[in-house]
Amino acid sequence: MTTQVVLGNINPSVLEKLQVLAQHHNRTLEDEVKAILENFVEDKLVTQESEQAQAWAKIDAARQRHFGKTFSDSVELLREDRNR
């Protein structure tokens, strides 16, 4: 699937820098913008996956710390507290 994206009102200095980058990488301006977007999105996805993995590791560690422990039902305690 091909989708066309049109960008308007790009800061001229940013556009100039993009053109320099494109020349440096022997790409067209369009290909350079595509490469930048792809790299940015991939980096974000990897970062999100890493953050999710860290969160799950913390959850697993908490589960291990509390494994086998019995906790009381706090409903009655909350009701008593509300009735004061």
Side-chain angles (χ1 to χ4, degrees):
M1 175 172 78
T2 302
T3 302
Q4 186 175 18
V5 177
V6 178
L7 300 174
N9 300 323
I10 297 176
N11 183 323
S13 66
V14 171
L15 185 58
E16 185 178 319
K17 290 172 186 174
L18 284 169
Q19 289 170 330
V20 169
L21 281 172
Q23 287 177 344
H24 179 73
H25 295 125
N26 295 317
R27 298 181 196 161
T28 65
L29 179 61
E30 181 180 357
D31 287 340
E32 186 66 23
V33 171
K34 280 193 237 179
I36 290 169
L37 287 171
E38 287 170 2
N39 289 335
F40 179 81
V41 170
E42 289 300 320
D43 288 346
K44 283 291 182 185
L45 289 175
V46 168
T47 300
Q48 286 176 348
E49 289 171 359
S50 174
E51 289 171 354
Q52 287 176 347
Q54 290 173 2
W56 279 112
K58 288 179 182 179
I59 290 168
D60 289 339
R63 285 180 178 156
Q64 288 176 357
R65 276 194 315 273
H66 301 299
F67 181 75
K69 294 182 181 176
T70 303
F71 297 94
S72 62
D73 187 1
S74 60
V75 173
E76 290 302 319
L77 295 172
L78 288 170
R79 284 187 185 138
E80 285 177 25
D81 194 42
R82 284 188 195 133
N83 290 332
R84 288 187 203 175

